[in-house]
């Protein structure tokens, strides 16, 4: 994908001597130590999640009532939870769910944002008016309340969690894209493209978006972090991923009493560390991307 | 410019209406209504009683009628009465806003101050150990789920150390005292602020870094001005401009209230009100709160867009 | 510099909390956010105020007996068809107005008034003239009559010796001089409920929304001025915060209307010096209700299969930490349960056989709806889910709120739900659960059961009632109109610095829901 952007960029812009901005950005990124650490760690989490069936030692939903609340042993590396399920397996499978929620929700947001944002900025006029108003509408409702209402209507499920979080995220990014494209629209190379009769969709796809996409990459990365946190918050309210499917958020929810906090730390420390470190690494990556692509970006 | 502002304000009105309509639809689509929401599934209610209550609340009317009625009321400056407590919605919201503004406002202010200070230190000592530690801590702070943080703080400061009370905004029945109030404010404030401090810290750091290496600061240095004055008087002032933008973007958040923090700490603000209104299907309350937050968001968006349009004339598309 | 300021602030603030919120004059109870100002006529969780501020004529006591309060004595005539109440004569409302028979007549009518829409109207439904009043043919209850200022005569439609215990104890006296001139439609939102005037041991002082209600002792209380000066009810939304408040002394008692303390927390909390836990029976079974209007659930073999498939004994031993008991029938009262009931011992093979025999479609995906938010219930249901999955029944757990739950049941758009039903005071209360046409029955209709319930309330002596309830219990065990799982328990926490709450609740053993309970609160005191 990156290669295609680079190629498109080369085709569209006046010929630049020396290395491309993307390569320069990549070099800047590599220099950012924390961001690289974040990338590495996130990579490890993703691999663990993908290999869950092999890494987890028990089926994550298998209940063993007589063995509940067992502390970490050789049998159960991270102990068992309130109904005897293996915590390690649940953390690993939960990673699948949480990361999937993060990635899918953001993909949905980005897709909608790119489409609506570019249409809005490029065509202007009524389309822009309408889309900006829709953005205003969605943004003016407190997010948690909107999600609560939506989930009350459609019922809690993994799919609905992804859809609602995704639906919440697009307005901010759409505005971003719109701002970028508005600024680019008046540049000479775009005017040249328009004058030479290239159809709008091509201008958008091949000329405008590749240049506008940088802040979106950063925003998307950061939104992934907040999507994972949002999933945890929804689980706290009881409207997140429904049992028995594990997610880091709903595993943390089991720890919502002082007793568990104090007496059974293996129930909340692993998912807590997992969320914090996953979100942390994503944030570090995002920070690195921002430094690499354009340090001036305010997101 | 004036026409731009006027046009935006004019457009805001149908947008407000649309927002209220969308929220009305959402409330309608949620299964159940206010009458059954307060029912305990363990205690029976006769159908006749349910119907009586429904007609008292006007819930037996078709929804277009109800929406029209609400609009009519609104035009007369009235937001109706709560379906659950029957208090006037305006009065309830007005009584709860101060608590929210207090918590969120102080949190924003505190985070801003601490964030800017820490960010400045981090930028000035770039690549040092201090910078590294602050960066990691900052990001860690941004990565903790807020309900978890709240509970952990309750456990640490409320139970283990017994330094702070764990709920409410003041000791019940006791005479109002600022110290008592502050101590109740502390834990929820801390939970909220940890994340925000990190955000402000990062932004301050990056924009200050950029300014620090710029030419006009070198000119100031060449003039012989002390490094400290250079950083604070010249550097920080310019670096703060983007920070102000962020504060502006966050104003609606101040009014939205922190739902989760308010329910963990029983802080009597708007967030708690909103959640209860949704759970209890209290339509007038939901609509009133939605209207309020919509107005806040529209106003702050308008201000932000005006600022952008002022700065960059190309954005004035119309 | 910031560090110093922080430390200074901390030091300033610390001493204030050395003492915690409850001092030697104030007793603080934890309560559920949202319950405070609901009126007695409609609420399911504000009945505490009906015991401390307002009162009934005769209240049920913590021992299950009767305590004359606003009625000094009463007479039962015509085998329980006519009741004469002799009212206490020195009583004044908290605002000074004397309490008289006028208030009693007004109050009973208020519960029956169709324009008020009281959810507890069924408690006065046995009074003569109720149906006409409800239908709009009469404008008051003819069966309630003031013979003079301090005597009230109530006539029922039929003799019902248990009426005073099973129905009258729910009816709370309201001031006619305040609400009498207000149209019934406006009672519900009236400011009275945010500043009650009653006759009870405590007077209303102030109400801060979502924070607390403060009451003060009534010096003129007819059973003697309470020893405690202030009673504060503090509101909580989050269970963990309420438990933390108990631990650090902010409240002295936790709420009983909902589960705040999980069964897995009992041991740790009980071992804290000064705090004791009583595990109360909720006086109710927890069960799976099925939508019997759907053919697959109407087959009794399927329901029995479900019960055989679940290992209730293990769940009670592990998830409930040994508290509570398995339930084989509807009644929690020991005397209403006969011997020889089918215990449905855990038998997954038999369950599968029954399902196949009934032609159950194993590909069905169903939702198990529930509204309890506490962790222990969630674990129990997870176990149920797994047991059912082992015999081929695939359920998805879905936590909903009361509104959604009711809506789904009304539209018939549901399969299975996990519920409880309060009947601690008397097994007669279970009638609603097995009655034709109610939502609570899930579509079950058995006229034989209805007839048995009708007979059961015609006697006062327990021995005479036993055969009817035993018969109902056997039918409930065989036919499983709801799938009885276990008897629910709820731990309550007490700070022993207050003498009275723990002692009375420990003796009470069962929680009486939705009614005021006399617990001698005027005798409670705080240890120095």
């Amino acid at each position: 994908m990156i290669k295609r952007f680079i190629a498109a960029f080369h085709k569209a812009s006046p010929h630049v001597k020396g290395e491309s901005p993307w390569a320069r950005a990549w070099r800047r990124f590599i220099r950012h130590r924390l961001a690289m650490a974040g990338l590495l760690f996130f990579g490890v989490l993703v691999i663990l999640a993908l290999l869950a069936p092999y890494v987890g030692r028990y089926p994550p939903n298998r209940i063993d009532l007589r063995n509940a609340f067992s502390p970490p042993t050789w049998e159960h590396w991270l102990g068992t939870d309130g109904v005897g399920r293996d915590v390690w397996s649940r953390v690993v499978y939960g990673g699948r769910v949480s990361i999937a929620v993060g990635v899918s929700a953001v993909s949905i947001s980005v897709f909608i944002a790119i489409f609506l944002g570019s249409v809005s900025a490029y065509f202007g006029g009524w389309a822009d008016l309408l889309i900006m108003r829709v953005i205003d509408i969605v943004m003016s409702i407190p997010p948690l309340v909107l999600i609560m209402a939506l989930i009350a209507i459609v019922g809690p499920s993994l799919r609905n969690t992804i859809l609602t979080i995704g639906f919440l995220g697009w307005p901010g990014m759409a505005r971003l894209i719109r701002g970028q494209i508005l600024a680019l629209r008046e540049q000479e190379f775009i005017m040249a493209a328009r004058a030479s009769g290239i159809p709008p969709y091509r201008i958008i796809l091949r000329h405008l978006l590749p240049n506008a996409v940088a802040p979106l990459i950063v925003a998307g990365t950061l939104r992934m972090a907040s999507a994972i946190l949002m999933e945890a918050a929804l689980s706290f309210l009881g409207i997140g991923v429904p049992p028995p499917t594990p997610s880091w958020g709903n595993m943390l929810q089991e720890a919502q009493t002082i007793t568990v906090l104090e007496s059974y730390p293996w129930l909340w420390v692993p998912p807590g560390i997992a969320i914090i470190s996953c979100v942390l690494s994503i944030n570090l990556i995002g920070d690195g991307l921002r430094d690499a692509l354009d340090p001036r970006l305010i997101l | 410019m004036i026409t731009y502002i006027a046009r935006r304000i004019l457009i805001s009105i149908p947008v407000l209406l649309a927002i209220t309509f969308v929220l009305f639809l959402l409330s309608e689509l949620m299964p159940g209504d206010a009458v059954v929401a307060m029912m305990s599934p363990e205690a029976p209610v006769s159908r006749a009683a349910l119907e009586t209550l429904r007609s008292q609340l006007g819930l037996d009317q078709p929804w277009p009628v109800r929406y029209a009625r609400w609009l009519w009321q609104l035009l007369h400056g009235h937001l109706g009465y709560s379906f659950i407590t029957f208090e006037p919605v305006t009065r309830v919201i007005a009584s709860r806003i101060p608590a929210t503004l207090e918590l969120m406002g102080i949190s924003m202010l505190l985070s801003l101050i601490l964030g800017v200070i820490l960010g400045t230190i981090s930028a000035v000592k770039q690549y040092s150990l201090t910078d590294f530690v602050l960066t990691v801590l900052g990001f860690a702070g941004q990565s903790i789920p807020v309900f978890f943080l709240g509970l952990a703080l309750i456990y640490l400061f409320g139970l283990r150390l017994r330094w702070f009370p764990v709920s409410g905004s003041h000791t019940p029945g006791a005479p109002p005292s600022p110290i008592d109030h502050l101590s109740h404010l502390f834990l929820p404030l801390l939970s909220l602020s940890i994340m925000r401090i990190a955000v402000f810290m990062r932004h301050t750091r990056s924009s200050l870094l950029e300014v620090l290496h710029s030419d006009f600061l070198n000119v100031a240095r060449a003039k012989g001005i002390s490094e400290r004055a250079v950083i604070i008087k010249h550097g920080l002032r310019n670096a703060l401009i983007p920070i102000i933008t962020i504060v502006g973007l966050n104003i609606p958040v101040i009014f939205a209230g922190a739902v989760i923090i308010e329910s963990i700490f029983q802080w009597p603000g708007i967030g708690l009100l909103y959640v209860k209104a949704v759970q209890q299907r209290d339509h007038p309350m939901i609509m009133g709160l939605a209207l309020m937050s919509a107005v806040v968001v529209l106003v702050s968006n308008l201000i932000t867009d005006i600022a952008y349009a002022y700065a960059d004339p190309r954005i004035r598309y119309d | 510099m910031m560090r110093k300021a922080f430390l200074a602030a901390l030091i300033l603030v610390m001493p204030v909390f050395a003492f915690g919120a409850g001092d030697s004059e104030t007793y603080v109870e934890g309560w559920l956010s949202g319950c405070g100002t609901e009126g007695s006529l409609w609420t399911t969780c504000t009945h505490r105020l009906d015991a401390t501020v307002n009162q009934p004529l005769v209240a049920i006591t913590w021992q299950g007996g009767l305590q004359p309060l606003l009625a000094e004595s009463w007479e039962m005539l015509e085998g329980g068809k006519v009741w004469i109440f002799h009212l206490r004569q020195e009583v004044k409302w908290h605002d000074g107005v004397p309490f008289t028979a006028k208030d009693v007549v007004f109050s009973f009518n208020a519960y029956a008034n169709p324009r008020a829409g009281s959810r507890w109207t069924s408690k006065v439904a046995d009074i003569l003239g109720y149906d006409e009043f409800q239908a709009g043919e009469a404008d008051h209850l003819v069966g309630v009559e003031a013979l003079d200022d301090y005597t009230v005569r109530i006539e029922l439609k039929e003799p019902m010796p248990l009426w005073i215990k099973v129905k009258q104890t729910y009816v709370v006296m309201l001031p006619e001089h305040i609400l009498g001139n207000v149209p019934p439609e406006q009672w519900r939102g009236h400011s009275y409920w945010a500043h009650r005037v009653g006759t009870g041991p405590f007077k209303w002082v102030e109400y801060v929304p979502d924070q607390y209600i403060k009451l003060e002792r009534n010096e003129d209380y007819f059973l003697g001025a309470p020893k405690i000066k202030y009673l504060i009810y503090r509101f909580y939304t989050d269970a963990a915060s309420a438990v933390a408040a108990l631990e650090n002394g902010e409240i002295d008692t936790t709420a009983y209307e909902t589960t705040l303390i999980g069964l897995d927390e009992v041991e740790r909390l009980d071992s804290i010096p000064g705090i004791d836990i009583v595990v109360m029976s909720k006086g109710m079974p927890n069960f799976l209700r099925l939508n019997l209007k759907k053919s697959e659930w109407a087959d009794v073999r399927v329901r029995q299969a479900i019960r055989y498939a679940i290992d209730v004994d293990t769940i009670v031993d592990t998830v409930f930490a040994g508290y509570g008991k398995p339930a084989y029938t509807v009644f929690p009262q020991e005397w209403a349960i006969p011997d020889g009931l089918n215990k449905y011992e855990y038998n997954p093979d038999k369950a599968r056989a029954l399902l196949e025999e009934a032609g159950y479609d194993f590909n069905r995906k169903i939702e198990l709806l529930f509204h309890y938010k506490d962790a222990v219930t969630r674990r129990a249901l997870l176990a149920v889910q797994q047991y059912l999955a082992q015999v081929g029944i695939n359920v998805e757990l879905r936590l909903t709120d009361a509104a959604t739950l009711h809506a789904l049941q009304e539209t018939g758009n549901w399969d299975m739900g996990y519920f409880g039903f309060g009947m601690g005071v008397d097994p007669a209360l279970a009638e609603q659960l097995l009655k034709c046409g109610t939502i609570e029955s899930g579509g079950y209709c058995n006229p034989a059961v209805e007839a048995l319930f009708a007979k059961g309330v015609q006697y006062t002596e327990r021995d005479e009632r036993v055969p009817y309830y035993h018969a109902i219990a056997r039918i409930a065990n065989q036919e499983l109109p709801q799938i009885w799982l276990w008897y629910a328990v709820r731990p309550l926490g007490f700070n022993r610095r207050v003498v009275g709450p723990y002692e009375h609740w420990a003796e009470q053993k069962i929680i009486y829901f939705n009614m005021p309970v006399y617990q001698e609160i005027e005798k409670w005191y705080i240890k120095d």
Side-chain angles (χ1 to χ4, degrees):
Chain A
M1 258 267 275
I2 302 251
K3 284 214 182 104
R4 270 225 271 138
F5 279 138
I6 297 179
F9 184 82
H10 273 295
K11 265 216 205 148
S13 58
H15 188 70
V16 171
K17 253 204 210 125
E19 69 183 352
S20 79
W22 292 100
R24 227 184 306 144
W26 178 244
R27 268 205 303 116
R28 279 214 290 258
F29 184 82
I30 296 185
R31 238 189 295 148
H32 199 294
R33 279 174 300 163
L34 283 177
M36 286 307 290
L39 191 62
L40 204 67
F41 194 78
F42 187 64
V44 167
L45 286 178
V46 171
I47 291 177
L48 274 181
L50 287 174
L51 292 181
Y54 306 100
V55 178
R57 302 177 66 216
Y58 296 83
N61 297 334
R62 180 182 309 157
I63 293 178
D64 184 5
L65 289 178
R66 300 258 172 218
N67 207 5
F69 291 121
S70 148
T73 61
W74 211 229
E75 293 298 314
H76 293 278
W77 292 347
L78 289 178
T80 61
D81 69 0
V83 283
R85 297 177 293 195
D86 180 45
V87 175
W88 164 248
S89 308
R90 285 181 70 76
V91 170
V92 172
Y93 274 88
R96 277 190 159 185
V97 171
S98 298
I99 295 179
V101 168
V103 171
S104 318
V106 170
S107 308
I108 293 178
S109 298
V110 166
F111 190 72
I112 301 179
I114 288 185
F115 180 69
L116 289 180
S118 42
V119 162
S120 172
Y122 189 79
F123 293 105
W126 286 110
D128 187 31
L129 212 64
L130 197 62
I131 293 179
M132 283 303 283
R133 298 314 126 219
V134 171
I135 289 181
D136 277 342
I137 294 176
V138 177
M139 280 183 89
S140 75
I141 309 173
L144 218 46
V145 174
L146 182 58
I147 293 192
M148 279 181 71
L150 286 174
I151 298 219
I153 299 174
V154 300
S157 75
L158 179 56
R159 184 196 61 173
N160 292 338
T161 303
I162 294 178
L163 286 176
T164 42
I165 297 181
F167 182 71
L168 231 57
W170 71 261
M173 291 199 276
R175 287 189 109 192
L176 244 168
I177 278 274
R178 175 179 171 274
Q180 289 291 108
I181 292 187
L182 276 178
L184 285 171
R185 197 174 59 161
E186 311 305 325
Q187 297 217 342
E188 284 173 348
F189 74 99
I190 297 298
M191 290 185 166
R194 260 205 283 214
S196 50
I198 302 182
Y201 82 90
R202 263 184 124 181
I203 298 185
I204 295 180
L205 273 179
R206 299 184 119 219
H207 304 297
L208 282 173
L209 276 181
N211 293 311
V213 91
L216 201 66
I217 294 180
V218 184
T221 317
L222 295 177
R223 264 233 78 84
M224 184 154 60
S226 74
I228 295 183
L229 284 177
M230 180 68 85
E231 185 268 314
L234 291 182
S235 298
F236 167 73
L237 292 173
I239 53 177
V241 177
T245 314
S247 78
W248 291 334
N250 68 26
M251 286 177 78
L252 263 188
Q253 197 220 2
E254 312 258 321
Q256 281 301 105
T257 64
I258 306 286
T259 301
V260 169
L261 211 60
E262 206 181 43
S263 318
Y264 310 123
W266 59 91
L267 286 190
W268 54 271
V269 170
I273 291 187
I275 288 189
I276 295 177
S277 51
C278 182
V279 172
L280 179 59
S281 48
I282 296 177
N283 276 330
L284 288 175
I285 296 176
D287 196 51
L289 284 174
R290 177 176 26 214
D291 277 354
L293 291 172
D294 185 348
R296 239 170 317 191
L297 241 19
I298 301 302
L299 292 162
Chain B
M1 195 63 207
I2 304 287
T3 44
Y4 179 69
I5 297 179
R7 207 183 309 236
R8 284 297 302 273
I9 294 184
L10 215 58
I11 290 178
S12 301
I13 298 177
V15 172
L16 264 179
L17 274 176
I19 292 176
T20 60
F21 189 66
V22 165
L23 254 116
F24 184 78
L25 271 183
L26 274 180
S27 315
E28 286 298 307
L29 286 173
M30 284 195 285
D33 58 26
V35 169
V36 296
M38 284 311 278
M39 243 180 43
S40 159
E42 289 169 2
V45 183
S46 73
R47 284 230 168 81
L50 283 181
E51 290 312 314
T52 310
L53 290 170
R54 282 211 179 98
S55 61
Q56 262 178 11
L57 299 176
L59 281 173
D60 50 346
Q61 311 273 355
W63 67 262
V65 172
R66 275 185 279 138
Y67 183 60
R69 252 209 212 129
W70 185 82
L71 279 181
W72 185 245
Q73 250 181 354
L74 183 64
L75 285 175
H76 287 101
H78 204 263
L79 281 176
Y81 297 88
S82 157
F83 278 172
I84 306 292
T85 62
F86 295 80
E87 294 170 295
V89 170
T90 21
R91 184 155 52 123
V92 176
I93 296 183
S95 68
R96 304 285 281 251
I97 284 214
T100 292
L101 285 181
E102 182 188 17
L103 182 62
M104 306 296 279
I106 295 183
S107 163
M108 193 69 73
L109 200 65
L110 198 71
S111 314
L112 187 63
I113 296 176
L114 279 180
V116 166
I117 293 176
L118 289 175
T120 309
I121 297 177
S122 196
V124 164
K125 298 194 175 179
Q126 192 184 18
Y127 298 133
S128 73
L129 185 64
T130 318
D131 180 26
F132 184 78
V133 167
L134 279 176
T135 304
V136 173
L137 278 182
F139 278 115
Q142 259 180 298
S143 314
I144 305 181
V146 80
F147 62 91
F148 186 67
L149 185 60
L151 199 61
L153 287 177
I154 287 183
Y155 176 64
L156 183 61
F157 286 105
L159 291 180
R160 269 281 129 95
L161 295 173
R162 300 267 166 125
W163 282 359
F164 297 99
V166 301
S167 69
S169 62
H170 59 282
T171 308
S177 108
I179 292 192
D180 181 45
H181 189 63
L182 273 177
S183 69
H184 279 86
L185 184 60
F186 184 73
L187 286 183
L189 191 66
L190 191 62
S191 313
L192 268 184
S193 308
I194 286 184
M195 185 182 259
R196 293 222 181 91
I197 291 177
V199 170
F200 284 123
M201 188 171 80
R202 293 304 300 167
H203 281 301
T204 310
R205 179 185 182 275
S206 56
S207 64
L208 187 60
L209 271 179
E210 195 195 310
V211 167
L212 277 179
H213 297 307
S214 68
D215 288 337
F216 80 94
L217 275 198
N218 284 332
V219 169
R221 285 190 189 103
K223 279 208 245 172
I225 303 181
S226 78
E227 187 65 19
R228 172 180 259 224
V230 163
I231 295 176
I232 297 185
K233 272 184 69 180
H234 296 105
L236 209 52
R237 223 183 324 171
N238 282 287
L240 280 182
I241 297 172
I243 303 292
I244 293 175
T245 317
I246 298 185
V247 174
L249 284 174
N250 269 298
I251 291 183
V253 176
I254 298 185
F255 279 82
V259 165
I260 292 181
I261 292 287
E262 285 181 18
S263 42
I264 294 182
F265 290 100
Q266 200 63 22
W267 190 262
I270 293 285
L272 209 52
L273 201 60
Y274 229 138
V275 168
K276 278 204 316 198
V278 170
Q279 279 174 346
Q280 295 173 344
R281 312 289 196 261
D282 191 353
H283 293 186
M285 189 65 75
I286 295 179
M287 302 291 281
L289 287 167
L291 190 67
M292 182 203 73
S293 62
V295 167
V296 169
V297 168
L298 284 180
V299 166
S300 59
N301 276 355
L302 185 64
I303 295 180
T304 317
D305 278 353
I306 289 176
Y308 280 157
Y310 189 68
D312 188 350
R314 287 178 302 179
I315 297 193
R316 269 175 263 169
Y317 49 90
D318 274 310
Chain C
M1 185 200 52
M2 281 307 296
R3 242 170 292 158
K4 284 203 202 131
F6 183 73
L7 280 173
L10 268 185
I11 293 175
L12 268 181
V13 142
M14 266 165 69
V16 186
F17 304 94
F19 4 141
D23 52 47
S24 57
E25 289 188 318
T26 312
Y27 165 55
V28 185
E29 284 191 3
W31 206 2
L32 270 192
S33 184
C35 286
T37 51
E38 285 203 305
S40 316
L41 294 177
W42 309 275
T43 187
T44 51
C45 62
T46 314
H47 296 277
R48 297 190 204 191
L49 292 176
D50 291 338
T52 44
V53 180
N54 294 91
Q55 298 173 298
L57 289 176
V58 181
I60 198 163
T61 70
W62 76 102
Q63 292 162 323
L66 290 174
Q67 168 74 27
L69 286 176
L70 286 173
E72 222 164 26
S73 64
W74 66 93
E75 298 161 38
M76 178 176 90
L77 306 174
E78 296 180 41
K81 189 168 193 291
V82 174
W83 300 81
I84 312 276
F85 292 96
H86 301 284
L87 306 178
R88 217 176 275 267
Q89 296 198 13
E90 344 66 89
V91 181
K92 292 204 173 55
W93 293 95
H94 292 150
D95 58 1
V97 173
F99 165 76
T100 64
K102 219 173 13 135
D103 299 303
V104 179
V105 173
F106 171 71
S107 304
F108 277 95
N109 274 281
Y111 277 81
N113 196 326
R115 290 160 62 196
S118 167
R119 97 189 292 138
W120 301 110
T121 191
S122 59
K123 303 300 177 189
V124 295
D126 307 280
I127 300 181
L128 193 64
Y130 175 78
D131 301 309
E132 291 80 356
F133 193 6
Q134 284 275 309
E137 292 158 22
D139 68 348
H140 70 282
L141 278 176
V142 300
V144 178
E145 197 189 329
L147 296 181
D148 59 48
D149 270 349
Y150 296 106
T151 319
V152 176
R153 176 185 187 278
I154 298 187
E155 184 171 347
L156 306 177
K157 294 186 247 182
E158 310 242 330
M160 199 174 158
L162 282 181
W163 179 80
I164 192 166
K165 181 173 184 192
V166 169
K167 300 280 176 119
Q168 178 278 142
T169 43
Y170 287 82
V171 179
V172 151
M173 295 299 114
L174 302 169
E176 192 267 347
H177 63 281
I178 297 182
L179 291 172
N181 289 325
V182 177
E185 293 82 358
Q186 293 178 18
W187 284 342
R188 192 150 185 213
H190 198 269
S191 57
Y192 170 74
W193 305 110
H195 195 108
R196 292 193 188 202
V197 169
T199 52
F202 287 92
K203 296 198 284 205
W204 196 285
V205 173
E206 73 171 322
Y207 162 62
V208 179
D210 258 345
Q211 296 286 287
Y212 64 89
I213 294 179
K214 182 173 177 181
L215 306 178
E216 186 182 3
R217 85 163 74 120
N218 175 6
E219 304 287 352
D220 303 317
Y221 183 51
F222 53 83
L223 287 184
K227 302 213 175 70
I228 294 175
K229 178 141 195 244
Y230 295 112
L231 203 180
I232 292 187
Y233 296 118
R234 275 191 90 158
F235 297 117
Y236 292 90
T237 312
D238 184 60
S241 320
V243 173
L246 177 72
E247 273 193 67
N248 86 342
E250 272 174 34
I251 56 177
D252 298 307
T253 311
T254 58
Y256 71 88
E257 293 89 351
T258 191
T259 301
L260 291 177
I261 302 177
L263 284 166
D264 54 317
E265 296 188 273
V266 171
E267 211 182 299
R268 182 185 73 90
L269 287 172
D270 205 38
S271 61
I272 299 178
I275 294 192
D276 281 326
I277 309 288
V278 176
V279 180
M280 306 281 302
S281 156
K282 280 172 77 175
M284 64 168 75
N286 277 126
F287 46 88
L288 293 174
R289 179 184 300 154
L290 296 171
N291 188 351
L292 298 177
K293 301 231 166 86
K294 294 198 179 177
S295 57
E296 51 269 41
W297 310 123
D299 190 331
V300 67
R301 286 171 297 188
V302 172
R303 303 200 293 273
Q304 287 180 334
I306 292 178
R307 186 57 170 83
Y308 276 117
I310 302 173
D311 187 354
V312 172
D313 290 314
T314 304
I315 293 181
V316 169
D317 269 345
T318 54
V319 178
F320 295 144
Y323 294 104
K325 296 194 313 255
Y328 311 115
T329 187
V330 57
F331 302 120
Q333 290 87 358
E334 300 271 349
W335 61 268
I337 304 177
D339 298 321
L341 289 180
N342 184 349
K343 297 225 158 97
Y344 292 97
E345 303 277 0
Y346 176 53
N347 194 337
D349 296 317
K350 181 157 188 183
R352 224 172 280 123
L354 279 170
L355 286 174
E356 279 166 10
E357 199 187 301
Y360 179 75
D361 174 13
F362 290 98
N363 291 324
R364 298 201 70 219
K365 276 224 150 223
I366 45 191
E367 281 186 333
L368 204 176
L369 308 169
F370 65 103
H371 68 282
Y372 299 98
K373 293 205 185 111
D374 63 293
V376 172
T377 301
R378 205 180 39 242
R379 288 184 208 131
L381 291 180
L382 280 170
V384 166
Q385 184 184 40
Q386 162 142 315
Y387 285 122
L388 289 181
Q390 278 172 358
V391 299
I393 303 179
N394 294 315
V395 302
E396 247 185 50
L397 299 176
R398 180 172 161 189
L399 173 66
T400 61
D401 50 54
T404 313
L405 210 51
H406 190 265
L408 289 173
Q409 287 181 89
E410 264 205 329
T411 59
N413 206 355
W414 65 289
D415 286 292
M416 191 189 280
Y418 175 79
F419 296 92
F421 193 85
M423 51 181 90
V425 174
D426 193 277
L429 295 172
E431 184 184 2
Q432 187 78 9
L433 201 53
L434 302 172
K435 197 174 183 156
C436 301
T438 59
I439 281 197
E440 291 77 20
S441 63
Y444 180 71
C445 194
N446 187 339
V449 167
E450 299 210 358
L452 286 167
F453 269 114
K455 292 231 90 178
V457 289
Q458 283 173 3
Y459 305 92
T460 13
E461 289 308 311
R462 188 174 281 184
D463 293 327
E464 292 177 301
R465 304 174 67 201
V466 158
Y468 301 106
Y469 293 106
H470 277 198
I472 299 174
R474 284 203 189 87
I475 298 179
N477 173 255
Q478 262 315 106
E479 294 189 4
L480 290 182
Q482 333 251 356
I483 303 176
W484 320 108
L485 293 172
W486 42 74
Y487 293 113
V489 293
R490 177 169 288 164
L492 297 181
F494 300 94
N495 187 327
R496 300 302 299 274
R497 77 178 189 108
V498 186
V499 179
Y502 173 81
E503 289 75 3
H504 285 80
W505 281 99
E507 221 185 290
Q508 184 174 324
K509 291 278 179 275
I510 294 189
I511 302 181
Y512 301 131
F513 290 100
N514 299 313
M515 61 193 320
V517 179
Y518 174 70
Q519 287 176 320
E520 296 186 310
I521 195 172
E522 65 276 1
K523 300 195 183 140
W524 296 0
Y525 63 94
I526 298 174
K527 283 200 276 208
D528 327 286

